[in-house]
């Protein structure tokens, strides 16, 4: 009796060991069989133009490379076609992501890297076009597809666009504030420093206000001088004088300093003619 039980206990570990090894062998065999089937499925999907299925099979095959399999050319073909399809549909971020996967895979070709660079340049060009048209956010969305919307050191193209946008907006705001204070020459300088096409269009009315303000100021000065029997309070070249005053204001001088320095450089001196000043040689 004891002998029979001992034999049974002795046989049980062997049974479980054999069962375990059998299951492992079956699993490995199944994986190996599936690995052999995947290239065929890849080829069928590629021939039929079922790009999503082809890519899915390619990803599965890539997960089995540890068994010694190589990435077939169909893997690169499907990713290449799918990336082009996404690009034509305007899904630029997804297209760039898939194209980058292709370039980093073992099924890529030299032309794939060239295509990636070409798409990057096209997105940069489109982003700059949107920026010039005044759509900063849309430009940043495009740049995000190529990781050019922001960098921690502020050196990305998107960072430069934000800085330019902010600078132009602040110049607009400064011009508005100076117009309210009727500081016409300083307002003109602020608006003249706006270099963004969209912001130039947005500040067109402000420029007209400044020009009207300057014209009104000159008329007032002329009337005041006419009341004193003077028809030409300043006898220096007016256009040259105004341009010189504007440049000095742009350099940081206030209205009074700019007026005095410009007058001196033109060989004149500032004289008081009633409540206003004039530049005479």
């Amino acid at each position: 009796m004891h002998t029979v039980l001992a034999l049974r206990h002795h046989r049980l570990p062997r049974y479980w060991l054999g069962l375990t090894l059998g299951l492992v062998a079956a699993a490995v065999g199944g994986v190996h069989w599936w690995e052999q089937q995947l290239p065929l499925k890849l080829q069928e999907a590629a021939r039929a133009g079922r790009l999503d299925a082809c890519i899915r099979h390619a990803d599965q095959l890539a997960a089995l490379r540890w068994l010694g399999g190589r990435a077939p050319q169909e893997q690169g073909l499907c990713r290449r076609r799918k990336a082009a399809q996404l690009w034509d549909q305007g899904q630029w971020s997804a297209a760039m992501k898939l194209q980058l996967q292709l370039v980093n895979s073992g099924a890529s070709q030299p032309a794939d890297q060239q295509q990636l660079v070409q798409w990057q340049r096209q997105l940069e060009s489109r982003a700059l076009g949107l920026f010039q048209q005044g759509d900063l956010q849309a430009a940043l969305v495009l740049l995000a597809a190529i990781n050019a919307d922001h960098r921690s050191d502020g050196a990305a193209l998107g960072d430069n666009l934000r800085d330019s946008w902010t600078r132009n907006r602040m110049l607009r705001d400064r011009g508005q504030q100076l117009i309210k204070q009727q500081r016409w020459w300083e307002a003109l300088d602020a608006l003249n420093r706006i270099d963004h096409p969209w912001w130039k269009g947005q500040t067109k009315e402000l420029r007209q206000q400044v020009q009207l303000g300057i014209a009104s100021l000159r008329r007032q000065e002329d009337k005041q001088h006419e009341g004193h029997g003077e028809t030409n309070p300043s006898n220096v070249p007016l256009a040259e004088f105004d341009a010189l005053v504007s440049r000095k204001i742009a350099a940081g001088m206030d209205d009074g300093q700019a007026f005095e320095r410009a007058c001196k450089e033109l060989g004149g001196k500032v004289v008081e003619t009633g409540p206003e000043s004039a530049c005479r040689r």
Side-chain angles (χ1 to χ4, degrees), residues 26-86:
V28 172
V31 170
H32 182 71
W33 175 84
W34 182 241
E35 183 194 14
Q36 299 302 314
Q37 297 300 310
L38 280 175
L40 298 177
K41 292 182 176 294
L42 265 175
Q43 294 172 4
E44 293 174 359
R47 284 195 298 267
R50 294 183 287 109
L51 301 180
D52 291 331
C54 180
I55 293 174
R56 183 171 62 254
H57 294 323
D59 291 339
Q60 293 173 350
L61 185 60
L64 299 176
R65 284 181 183 173
W66 61 276
L67 292 177
R70 294 186 305 169
Q73 288 304 310
E74 286 80 7
Q75 179 180 358
L77 177 64
C78 292
R79 283 178 173 171
R80 190 176 299 112
R81 289 179 177 176
K82 184 63 177 181
Q85 183 184 85
L86 291 170

Side-chain angles (χ1 to χ4, degrees), residues 140 143 146-160 162-163:
L140 294 176
L143 292 177
I146 54 176
N147 297 320
D149 58 324
H150 176 65
R151 278 178 47 176
S152 59
D153 60 359
L157 178 57
D159 296 319
N160 294 333
R162 286 190 189 88
D163 292 343

Side-chain angles (χ1 to χ4, degrees), residues 200-219:
K200 283 184 177 180
Q202 294 296 306
T203 56
K204 184 177 180 180
E205 293 184 1
L206 295 179
R207 293 173 184 274
Q208 293 174 348
Q209 292 181 42
V210 170
Q211 296 296 342
L212 291 174
I214 291 175
S216 176
L217 181 62
R218 286 174 176 167
R219 287 194 299 269

Side-chain angles (χ1 to χ4, degrees), residues 47-270:
R47 284 195 298 267
R50 294 183 287 109
L51 301 180
D52 291 331
C54 180
I55 293 174
R56 183 171 62 254
H57 294 323
D59 291 339
Q60 293 173 350
L61 185 60
L64 299 176
R65 284 181 183 173
W66 61 276
L67 292 177
R70 294 186 305 169
Q73 288 304 310
E74 286 80 7
Q75 179 180 358
L77 177 64
C78 292
R79 283 178 173 171
R80 190 176 299 112
R81 289 179 177 176
K82 184 63 177 181
Q85 183 184 85
L86 291 170
W87 181 268
D88 292 340
Q89 293 173 351
Q91 300 183 48
W92 298 307
S93 181
M96 292 294 297
K97 180 179 179 180
L98 191 58
Q99 188 71 13
L100 182 61
Q101 290 177 354
L102 172 60
V103 169
N104 292 331
S105 72
S108 64
Q109 300 174 358
D112 297 324
Q113 175 66 36
Q114 297 173 4
Q115 181 67 80
L116 182 65
V117 173
Q118 181 181 349
W119 283 352
Q120 288 176 336
R121 291 174 177 171
Q122 288 183 22
L123 286 182
E124 286 182 359
S125 179
R126 290 180 182 181
L128 289 174
L130 289 170
F131 175 70
Q132 295 296 320
Q133 296 169 17
D135 198 342
L136 172 64
Q137 293 306 316
L140 294 176
V141 169
L142 284 185
L143 292 177
I146 54 176
N147 297 320
D149 58 324
H150 176 65
R151 278 178 47 176
S152 59
D153 60 359
L157 178 57
D159 296 319
N160 294 333
L161 297 187
R162 286 190 189 88
D163 292 343
S164 175
W165 185 268
T166 300
R167 179 174 55 80
N168 280 272
R169 178 176 54 79
M170 292 179 66
L171 287 170
R172 188 278 313 269
D173 294 345
R174 174 171 170 76
Q176 288 178 327
Q177 187 64 31
L178 292 170
I179 287 173
K180 292 179 181 179
Q181 300 172 5
Q182 297 187 1
R183 295 163 62 180
W184 305 115
W185 291 109
E186 292 176 85
L188 180 62
D189 169 64
L191 297 177
N192 282 342
R193 284 192 284 167
I194 292 176
D195 56 10
H196 189 287
W198 186 83
W199 280 109
K200 283 184 177 180
Q202 294 296 306
T203 56
K204 184 177 180 180
E205 293 184 1
L206 295 179
R207 293 173 184 274
Q208 293 174 348
Q209 292 181 42
V210 170
Q211 296 296 342
L212 291 174
I214 291 175
S216 176
L217 181 62
R218 286 174 176 167
R219 287 194 299 269
Q220 292 176 11
E221 292 176 350
D222 290 343
K223 288 180 180 179
Q224 291 171 353
H225 291 300
E226 287 175 1
H228 290 80
E230 301 168 350
T231 58
N232 186 18
S234 297
N235 59 5
V236 295
L238 187 58
E240 185 178 358
F241 180 64
D242 288 347
L244 194 54
V245 170
S246 295
R247 288 198 296 270
K248 293 190 175 300
I249 291 175
M253 293 185 184
D254 58 32
D255 290 357
Q257 289 178 322
F259 189 93
E260 183 177 352
R261 293 285 182 85
C263 179
K264 185 176 181 180
E265 289 183 17
L266 292 176
K269 64 179 181 178
V270 177

